[in-house]
């Protein structure tokens, strides 16, 4: 009890100082700008960057990563920032009070309903994060296991002994954040918090984007809440995936670039760099987003801030800012790509492609550039994407799910506002007035990138990396409705307000139930002791095919290690062949040790999945004091024939020769 | 005027597109109501308290283990106690009791010195000394080993001379809880799916003997008819229960067939023809006709 209280205090102190020092740093970098939302975005981005740099420095450079070193280094960095920026004070409370007064000055009942729904939704999301365990298959397969390994080993080895190949090529920035939110309590209750924080940051990001283009506060707020309520955002806010970080970070980066185009202050580029750095640390697909952003930015820079090309002083300032930006990007995400270069000899590591998540084998793959060019040369994907566009955007073919299987998660708000905004955004390329708006950078990048990705990216989950599209276009709709004087008409205001409230209510209602779980057991789960509230007990993916194993593992002491089979070969139809997809960290505190057994070394298996053990298996089990063996690759289990291995429940064997 | 028209068109298109979205996704609202029905049907976890001479020394919430004893009647639970509490409980076992759902259950010893046992009508709760694993594994393994057979011999020794197999039945399954994650198997007892339209039971008999065979099955169809043919005496009794058993998502109808068989030494075949069967349930198990819950054998001489 006392330990928990102490951990809570340390958590609040360290994180409070991270946010406070980031706010101060944001105030310093935005000292000529009075926008509260912009400052909040900057503080959020800098906070994530702070956390990332602390964990990477300790895990990779110092190789001393634990519950003591993390808060200590963070406190030191926070103190240093506060000392350096001590004169740049910008009171948050006063600014917030003023913004609040301006937003709620009129008696707008729609606004009250929207605020009420937002409040309830945030409470629900917090409950889901804290009380319900992590879910989603690939979270357990490769998003979280590296954090467990880092915790157990006390540092971040460049290559993990993993059964899931893609871990070793992936940038794991979001896993770094998950580690941060685990280490204070040594409990997984907050590991989904980073994605929720990214979702919450989307609020100020959207407001800042719309305010930058002149939309009044109250409308900015309404459209920002509407964007927050995108099904894709609500669903992914309670996961340990990385797509929200990628997409919100992308829009934040574009926002600072747009602000730079407007104000011409090179230090704004540092904030864009921090946002892009975080993005690069989250997803191997991030470079194409950033390349597109920089391409459009360069063109607009030429037209809007030509002095940076013609005036030597300006040029020097731009070069200095660019160099500093490169350092920031390197600090925040450079490690993942340097590691890939050093270990695999290429930037995208063990990945088969820079863009896809398919994880093809390294040996059959050409270089990244060749791959991209060959994909662009093939218009087949584009045609497939076009055919699928309507069903995906209207979400009707499949149920809502955070993995966006066969849907976009764009919700009714995109149908109502986004599609029409898309037409205007395309028209804006040919309209001088629209091109001059700050939001043009965002809308044009969003449209061009969406089209570009249609050439290179199609799979059943492909809309996960495309959530920037509705976020930008709904904001764009808000800005254009205002500037076209639509919102001056009372009946249009009424329709707009109703669409916003209906869309928000739809998302709230249809996404309220945690349908990714075993719902008849929700009451049981909620009433269990904290120690038993684990994914193994509850998440539908696990309990559906192998309920006995996972529910049994919960009562097996966490000090008992477990070995599990691992091999790229598929032994039954429907099985994921490329990796051994399974999750074996059943305890909340990540204490159980797991050992992957490369199949051919330890077993002789027939094609039907019937296996005999080799003598080396028993030696391995004895040497590592392992008595438990899972024969299941993904959720299909091999049949093991050995007198010393008792099958306790399907797929779980007990080794009798352990003592 | 033109601007007014544009505004009207834009607003109308916006509303229309949203309406299209809602129309095409109305099934999501149906899912929502199903979700809430599932949630409200669920129950909170049972509370377990270990009492020593009326004093509470340990408590924990129990989740359904889904691990059953060999009869498929009781769920098996394991609670690990801290060493000091386990030692004390063992020493004071006469005054020790386990309170499960306000019911006081006496504790007893087991063959293992690191385990105690409490049994209720639907639970077997093992109290284990912290870290004890081998006994736990042995208990589960033993129960599973004995649970694999659903052929019950009423006459003592009859099963020594008769064995029944079939290429038309699936693996032993269940029992499944009412809260099972797969609605189609909620509440199902232990049993095997048998495929239709025709299936054969291969009966090996060590000698010539007359037996009475009782087949208990659950059918998805209230008017399912099963014809039995083979080296058998004619069908004697068909005992259909008219009350349907609501087994969660799958409505099943229990039926009992009793036949006389005149078994010859060696291989005998009992051919079954089902009047109805359903589509494939899962890969490798096609045309499910009936779920056999037990086959009872009795000497008929």
């Amino acid at each position: 009890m006392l330990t928990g209280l102490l951990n809570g205090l340390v958590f609040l102190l360290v994180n409070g100082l991270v946010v406070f020092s980031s706010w101060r740093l944001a105030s310093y970098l935005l000292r000529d700008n009075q926008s509260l939302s912009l400052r909040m975005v900057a503080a959020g981005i800098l906070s994530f960057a702070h956390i990332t740099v602390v964990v990477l420095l300790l895990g990779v450079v110092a190789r001393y990563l634990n519950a003591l070193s993390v808060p200590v280094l963070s406190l030191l960095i926070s103190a240093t920032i506060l000392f350096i920026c001590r004169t740049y004070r910008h009171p948050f409370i006063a600014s917030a009070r003023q913004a609040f007064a301006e937003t709620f000055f009129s008696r707008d009942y729609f606004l009250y309903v929207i605020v009420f729904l937002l409040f309830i939704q945030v409470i629900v999301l917090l409950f889901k994060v804290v009380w319900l365990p992590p879910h989603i298959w690939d979270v357990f397969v490769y998003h979280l296991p590296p954090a467990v390994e880092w915790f157990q080993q006390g540092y971040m080895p460049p290559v993990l002994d993993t059964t899931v190949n893609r871990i070793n090529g992936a940038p794991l920035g979001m896993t770094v954040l998950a580690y941060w939110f685990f280490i204070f309590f040594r409990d997984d209750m907050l590991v989904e918090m980073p994605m929720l924080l990214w979702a919450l940051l989307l609020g100020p990001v959207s407001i800042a984007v719309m305010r930058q283009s002149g939309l009044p506060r109250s409308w900015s707020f309404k459209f920002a809440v509407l964007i927050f309520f995108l099904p894709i955002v609500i669903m992914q806010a309670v996961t340990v995936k990385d797509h929200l970080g990628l997409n919100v970070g992308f829009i934040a980066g574009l926002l600072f670039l747009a602000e730079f185009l407007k104000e011409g202050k090179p230090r704004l580029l540092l904030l864009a760099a921090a946002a892009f750095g975080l993005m690069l640390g989250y997803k191997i697909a991030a470079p194409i987003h950033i390349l597109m952003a920089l391409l459009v930015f360069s063109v607009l820079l030429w037209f809007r801030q030509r002095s940076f090309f013609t005036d030597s002083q300006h040029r020097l300032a731009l070069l200095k800012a660019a160099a500093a930006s490169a350092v920031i990007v390197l600090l925040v995400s450079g490690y993942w790509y340097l590691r890939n270069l050093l270990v695999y000899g290429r930037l995208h590591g063990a990945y088969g492609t820079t863009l896809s998540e398919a994880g093809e084998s390294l040996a059959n793959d050409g270089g990244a550039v060749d791959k991209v060019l060959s994909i662009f040369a093939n218009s087949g994907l584009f045609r497939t994407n076009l055919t699928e566009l309507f069903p995906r955007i209207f979400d009707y073919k499949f149920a809502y799910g955070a993995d966006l299987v066969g849907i976009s998660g764009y919700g009714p708000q995109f149908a109502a506002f986004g599609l029409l905004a898309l037409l205007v955004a395309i028209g804006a390329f040919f309209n001088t007035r629209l091109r001059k708006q700050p939001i043009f950078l965002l809308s044009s990048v969003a449209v061009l990138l969406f089209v570009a990705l249609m050439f290179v990216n199609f799979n059943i989950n492909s809309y996960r990396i495309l959530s920037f599209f509705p976020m930008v276009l709904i904001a764009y709709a808000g800005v254009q409705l205002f500037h076209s004087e639509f919102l001056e008409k009372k009946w249009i205001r009424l329709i707009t307000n109703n669409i916003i409230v209906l869309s928000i209510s739809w998302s709230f209602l249809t996404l309220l139930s945690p349908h990714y779980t075993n719902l008849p057991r929700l009451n049981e789960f909620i009433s269990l002791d904290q120690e038993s509230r684990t994914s193994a007990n509850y998440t539908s993916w696990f309990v559906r095919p192998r309920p006995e194993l996972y529910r049994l593992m919960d009562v097996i002491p966490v000090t008992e290690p477990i070995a599990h089979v691992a091999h790229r070969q598929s032994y039954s139809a429907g099985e994921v062949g490329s990796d051994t997809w399974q999750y074996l960290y059943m305890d909340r505190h990540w204490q159980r040790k797991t050992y992957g057994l490369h199949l051919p070394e330890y077993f002789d298996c027939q094609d039907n999945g019937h296996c005999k053990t080799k003598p080396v298996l028993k030696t391995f089990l004895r040497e590592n004091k392992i008595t438990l063996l899972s024969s299941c690759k993904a959720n299909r289990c091999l049949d093991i024939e050995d007198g010393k291995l008792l099958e306790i429940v399907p797929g779980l064997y007990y080794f009798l020769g352990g003592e | 005027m033109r601007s007014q028209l544009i505004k009207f068109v834009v607003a109308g298109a916006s509303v229309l597109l949203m309406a299209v979205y809602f129309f095409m996704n109305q099934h999501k609202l149906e899912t929502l109501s199903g979700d809430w029905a599932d949630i409200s049907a669920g129950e909170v976890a049972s509370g377990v308290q270990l009492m020593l001479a009326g004093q509470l020394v340990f408590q924990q919430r129990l989740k359904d283990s889904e691990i059953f004893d060999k009869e498929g009647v009781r769920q098996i639970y394991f609670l690990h106690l801290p060493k000091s509490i386990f030692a004390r409980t063992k020493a004071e076992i006469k005054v020790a009791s386990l309170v499960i759902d306000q019911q006081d259950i006496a504790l007893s010893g087991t063959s293992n010195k690191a385990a105690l046992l409490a049994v209720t009508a639907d639970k077997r709760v093992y109290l284990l000394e912290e870290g004890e694993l081998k006994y736990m594994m042995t208990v589960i393994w033993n129960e599973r080993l004995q649970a694999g057979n659903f052929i019950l011999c009423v006459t003592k020794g009859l099963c020594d001379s008769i064995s029944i197999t079939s290429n038309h039945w699936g693996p032993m399954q269940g029992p499944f809880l009412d809260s099972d994650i797969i609605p189609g198997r909620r509440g199902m007892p232990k049993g095997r799916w048998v495929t239709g339209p025709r299936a054969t039971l291969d009966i090996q008999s060590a000698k010539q003997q007359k037996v009475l065979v009782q087949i208990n099955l659950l059918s998805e169809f209230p008017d399912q008819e099963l014809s039995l043919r083979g080296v058998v005496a004619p069908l004697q009794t068909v005992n259909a229960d008219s009350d349907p058993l609501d087994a969660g998502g799958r409505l099943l109808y229990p039926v009992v067939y009793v036949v006389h068989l005149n078994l010859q030494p060696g291989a005998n075949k009992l051919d079954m023809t089902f009047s109805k069967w359903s589509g494939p349930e899962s890969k490798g198990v096609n045309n499910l006709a009936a779920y056999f819950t037990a086959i009872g054998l009795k000497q008929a001489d």
Side-chain angles (χ1 to χ4, degrees):
Chain A
M1 179 67 183
L2 192 65
T3 313
L5 196 66
L6 199 63
N7 289 339
L9 284 174
V10 172
F11 175 79
L12 287 176
L13 174 73
V14 173
N15 284 280
L17 279 173
V18 168
V19 174
F20 184 53
S21 61
S22 299
W23 173 261
R24 235 352 128 67
L25 188 54
S27 299
Y28 165 68
L29 292 170
L30 297 169
R31 54 188 176 271
D32 308 315
N33 196 305
Q34 292 304 309
S35 166
L36 173 67
S37 50
L38 201 64
R39 206 168 256 124
M40 284 173 75
V41 175
I45 294 291
L46 292 171
S47 298
F48 285 131
H50 174 138
I51 292 169
T52 306
V53 169
V54 165
V55 176
L56 285 177
L57 278 178
L58 290 169
V60 177
V61 181
R63 293 168 82 90
Y64 184 68
L65 188 66
N66 55 47
L68 179 68
S69 64
V70 167
V72 167
L73 181 61
S74 174
L75 286 172
L76 283 174
I77 292 176
S78 295
T80 309
I81 292 171
L82 286 172
F83 179 75
I84 292 169
C85 303
R86 62 189 178 282
T87 54
Y88 294 94
R89 295 183 182 182
H90 188 97
F92 173 79
I93 303 284
S95 308
R97 195 182 294 149
Q98 188 191 345
F100 185 85
E102 285 178 26
T103 308
F104 296 92
F105 78 98
S106 64
R107 192 173 289 179
D108 183 343
Y109 293 107
F110 284 104
L111 194 59
Y112 299 156
V113 172
I114 289 167
V115 169
F116 174 74
L117 286 171
L118 175 67
F119 178 73
I120 302 290
Q121 182 66 72
V122 171
I123 300 287
V124 169
L125 291 175
L126 272 173
F127 171 80
K128 285 181 177 176
V129 164
V130 175
W131 210 272
L132 302 183
H135 63 287
I136 306 285
W137 192 20
D138 46 4
V139 163
F140 302 101
V141 173
Y142 63 92
H143 288 289
L144 272 185
V148 180
E149 292 292 325
W150 301 337
F151 170 65
Q152 290 186 353
Q153 297 187 36
Y155 75 105
M156 295 164 71
V159 177
L160 290 167
D161 182 16
T162 171
T163 60
V164 181
N165 200 37
R166 73 189 61 193
I167 285 178
N168 284 319
L172 296 169
M174 196 60 82
T175 307
V176 164
L177 295 184
Y179 175 87
W180 171 276
F181 280 93
F182 168 84
I183 197 66
F184 289 92
F185 299 95
R186 271 81 73 205
D187 187 297
D188 72 4
M189 70 177 167
L190 293 180
V191 292
E192 292 164 328
M193 192 57 96
M195 284 283 271
L196 177 57
L197 291 176
W198 273 110
L200 292 172
L201 189 64
L202 180 59
V205 168
S206 307
I207 291 175
V209 165
M210 289 180 275
R211 294 285 294 145
Q212 191 181 52
S213 288
L215 194 66
R217 273 197 199 282
S218 62
W219 281 110
S220 300
F221 182 81
K222 284 179 188 175
F223 276 98
V225 175
L226 184 67
I227 293 168
F228 175 77
F229 269 91
L230 281 166
I232 189 173
V233 176
I234 301 293
M235 288 186 287
Q236 292 208 328
V238 289
T239 69
V240 194
K241 295 170 81 63
D242 43 28
H243 308 93
L244 273 186
L246 175 82
N247 288 292
V248 180
F250 182 48
I251 300 174
L254 287 172
L255 169 72
F256 291 119
L257 289 185
E259 192 66 17
F260 170 72
L261 289 175
K262 193 176 162 190
E263 301 286 336
K265 300 276 190 299
R267 60 176 173 274
L268 289 162
L269 295 179
L270 307 184
L271 289 167
F276 288 152
L278 289 168
M279 273 180 75
L280 286 166
Y282 293 154
K283 213 76 189 158
I284 207 86
I288 199 167
H289 288 59
I290 295 169
L291 281 176
M292 182 61 79
L294 293 180
L295 186 71
V296 178
F297 169 74
S298 306
V299 174
L300 292 178
L301 184 64
W302 174 257
F303 286 107
R304 290 189 195 171
Q305 299 280 357
R306 196 164 299 182
S307 63
F308 281 108
F309 296 97
T310 53
D311 181 89
S312 61
Q313 265 193 328
H314 274 110
R315 197 163 48 223
L316 187 63
L318 182 64
L319 281 175
K320 278 183 187 171
S325 299
V327 172
I328 290 171
V329 170
L330 265 178
L331 264 176
V332 176
S333 62
Y335 164 67
W336 308 110
Y337 297 89
L338 284 174
R339 174 203 63 179
N340 285 350
L341 267 180
L342 292 172
V343 176
Y344 298 100
R346 57 186 204 167
L347 284 168
H348 52 310
Y351 267 78
T353 156
T354 49
L355 302 165
S356 149
E357 293 190 350
E360 293 161 28
S361 80
L362 197 60
N364 302 328
D365 185 35
V369 177
D370 290 348
K371 189 85 181 174
V372 175
L373 288 178
S374 69
I375 292 170
F376 270 109
N378 178 7
S379 63
L381 279 180
F382 183 72
R383 283 198 300 272
T384 313
N385 267 310
L386 268 188
T387 317
E388 275 286 306
L389 191 63
F390 179 77
R392 291 277 177 112
I393 279 178
F394 278 81
D395 292 331
Y396 63 87
K397 272 193 176 171
F398 293 88
Y400 285 140
D403 252 338
L404 299 177
V405 177
I407 58 166
S408 65
Y410 289 0
Q413 48 269 70
F414 183 75
F417 292 115
L419 285 175
L420 296 175
L422 174 62
L423 297 178
V424 183
I426 293 169
F429 285 102
F430 312 100
N431 183 296
T432 314
R433 182 181 64 85
L434 294 175
R435 277 205 307 272
K436 280 183 181 166
Q437 292 175 339
I439 201 171
F440 177 70
L441 172 70
L442 285 90
S443 64
S444 56
V445 169
V447 171
L448 292 172
L449 183 60
F450 187 82
V451 173
L453 287 173
M454 283 175 83
F455 279 96
V456 297
N457 181 45
F458 178 79
N459 59 55
I460 195 73
N461 313 108
S462 52
Y463 276 67
R464 293 183 303 190
I465 61 166
L466 300 175
S467 56
F468 64 87
F469 196 57
M471 293 169 187
V472 169
L473 284 179
I474 292 172
Y476 194 69
V479 169
Q480 299 315 330
L481 281 173
F482 176 73
H483 285 297
S484 313
E485 298 171 354
F486 274 57
L487 295 177
E488 285 179 11
K489 293 276 177 199
K490 193 179 174 185
W491 63 276
I492 293 188
R493 281 205 303 275
L494 190 68
I495 289 176
T496 308
N497 276 319
N498 273 299
I499 291 176
I500 291 175
V501 170
L502 273 173
S503 300
I504 287 175
S505 307
W506 170 271
S507 294
F508 177 77
L509 277 175
T510 53
L511 302 172
L512 189 57
S513 121
H515 55 267
Y516 46 84
T517 60
N518 183 5
L519 290 173
R521 295 246 173 90
L522 183 63
N523 289 333
E524 179 198 71
F525 184 84
I526 288 171
S527 60
L528 284 174
D529 300 317
Q530 187 181 5
E531 292 303 305
S532 297
R533 291 199 305 270
T534 67
S535 303
N537 269 333
Y538 190 50
T539 307
S540 63
W541 170 256
F542 297 118
V543 297
R544 185 177 286 270
R546 300 166 63 194
E548 303 98 328
L549 168 62
Y550 285 105
R551 288 170 84 79
L552 181 61
M553 286 306 292
D554 187 55
V555 289
I556 292 176
V558 292
T559 48
E560 285 294 333
I562 185 168
H564 57 93
V565 298
H567 187 43
R568 293 174 67 87
Q569 185 180 335
S570 171
Y571 279 94
S572 49
E575 184 182 11
V576 176
S578 57
D579 295 310
T580 300
W581 277 43
Q582 55 191 338
Y583 174 71
L584 296 163
Y585 302 104
M586 283 72 171
D587 60 305
R588 298 172 62 106
H589 311 295
W590 298 352
Q591 287 180 288
R592 194 185 306 285
K593 285 196 184 298
T594 66
Y595 296 84
L597 299 173
H598 188 55
L599 209 55
E601 289 172 22
Y602 297 95
F603 300 93
D604 278 321
C605 293
Q606 297 164 3
D607 288 343
N608 62 2
H610 191 81
C611 303
K612 288 186 176 172
T613 59
K614 291 181 178 176
V616 67
L617 173 74
K618 284 167 196 155
T619 312
F620 178 84
L621 295 176
R622 264 187 220 107
E623 279 175 0
N624 292 287
K625 297 189 168 69
I626 302 168
T627 54
L628 300 173
L629 168 68
S630 163
S631 73
C632 303
K633 185 174 175 296
N635 277 311
R636 293 164 195 271
C637 310
L638 300 174
D639 237 352
I640 297 177
E641 185 186 321
D642 190 306
K644 287 283 184 188
L645 288 166
L646 299 184
E647 191 180 28
I648 304 302
V649 294
L652 179 69
Y653 291 81
Y654 182 73
F655 178 46
L656 285 173
E659 300 107 37
Chain B
M1 185 62 191
R2 189 167 158 243
S3 127
Q4 194 74 4
L5 183 68
I6 290 173
K7 282 175 183 150
F8 184 78
V9 169
V10 168
S14 198
V15 171
L16 181 70
L17 285 165
M18 188 179 66
V20 169
Y21 186 95
F22 286 148
F23 176 75
M24 300 188 87
N25 286 278
Q26 54 187 312
H27 58 276
K28 290 190 168 74
L29 288 176
E30 289 159 23
T31 310
L32 182 70
S33 59
D35 284 357
W36 289 114
D38 275 352
I39 291 170
S40 41
E43 292 175 3
V44 297
S46 308
V48 173
Q49 295 172 319
L50 176 61
M51 312 292 286
L52 285 180
Q55 186 197 352
L56 175 68
V57 291
F58 182 83
Q59 62 179 342
Q60 193 174 317
R61 290 279 184 172
L62 275 190
K63 64 177 191 298
D64 283 323
S65 71
E66 295 190 72
I67 295 170
F68 287 85
D69 63 5
K70 55 181 179 286
E71 290 88 18
V73 173
R74 294 184 178 91
Q75 284 189 74
I76 301 175
Y77 298 87
F78 299 95
L79 295 180
H80 282 92
L81 300 181
K83 284 188 176 168
S84 58
I85 294 180
F86 182 84
R88 209 181 132 198
T89 310
K90 203 173 165 191
E92 301 173 30
I93 194 161
K94 286 185 180 165
V95 292
S97 68
L98 213 54
V99 180
I100 306 174
D101 297 330
Q102 280 100 46
Q103 200 187 341
D104 225 0
I105 314 293
L107 286 169
S108 60
T110 67
S111 58
N112 188 291
K113 62 182 181 184
L116 301 170
L117 175 65
V119 181
T120 72
D122 61 348
K123 292 182 179 69
R124 258 167 64 190
V125 183
Y126 286 91
L127 301 183
L128 302 175
E129 190 178 49
E130 193 175 26
E132 174 59 41
L133 181 68
K134 190 174 182 180
Y135 182 67
M136 181 175 164
M137 296 290 112
T138 313
V139 168
I140 302 169
W141 181 72
N142 257 324
E143 296 293 334
R144 277 197 74 223
L145 205 64
Q146 295 175 60
N149 197 0
F150 74 151
I151 296 166
L152 313 166
C153 288
V154 178
T155 310
K156 201 174 175 185
L158 186 60
C159 279
D160 296 339
S161 61
I162 297 177
S163 70
I164 303 178
T165 56
S166 175
N167 288 328
H168 300 102
W169 66 30
M172 277 295 293
Q173 295 183 13
F176 299 103
L177 298 170
D178 290 347
S179 57
D180 194 277
I181 193 162
I182 300 173
R185 66 187 194 193
R186 283 178 193 159
M188 298 270 283
K190 207 169 73 166
R192 291 177 188 271
W193 278 105
V194 175
T195 56
R198 277 176 289 282
T200 302
L201 295 186
D202 299 308
I203 306 170
Q204 283 287 336
S205 177
K207 56 184 180 185
Q208 191 276 326
Q209 54 189 332
K210 288 182 178 171
V211 294
L212 200 60
V213 179
Q214 177 174 310
I215 299 171
N216 292 30
L217 61 86
L218 296 169
S219 168
E220 282 187 87
F221 311 99
D223 49 352
Q224 169 78 281
E225 285 177 17
L226 169 59
S227 311
L228 294 156
R229 200 161 52 83
V231 281
V232 298
L235 195 68
Q236 188 197 48
T237 313
V238 177
N239 178 12
D241 188 338
S242 57
D243 294 329
L245 171 71
D246 187 349
R250 192 189 288 269
L251 198 62
L252 295 168
Y253 300 89
V255 187
V256 178
Y257 292 88
V258 181
V259 290
H260 283 287
L261 299 188
N262 187 7
L263 297 177
Q264 302 305 310
N268 299 267
K269 284 192 185 304
L270 176 60
D271 294 319
M272 301 177 285
T273 307
F274 296 92
S275 63
K276 295 193 172 176
W277 59 92
S278 61
E281 172 79 355
S282 59
K283 194 173 168 55
V285 183
N286 297 322
N287 304 331
L288 302 178
Y291 188 73
F292 280 33
T293 54
I295 296 178
L297 295 172
K298 189 182 172 188
Q299 202 86 48
D301 288 335

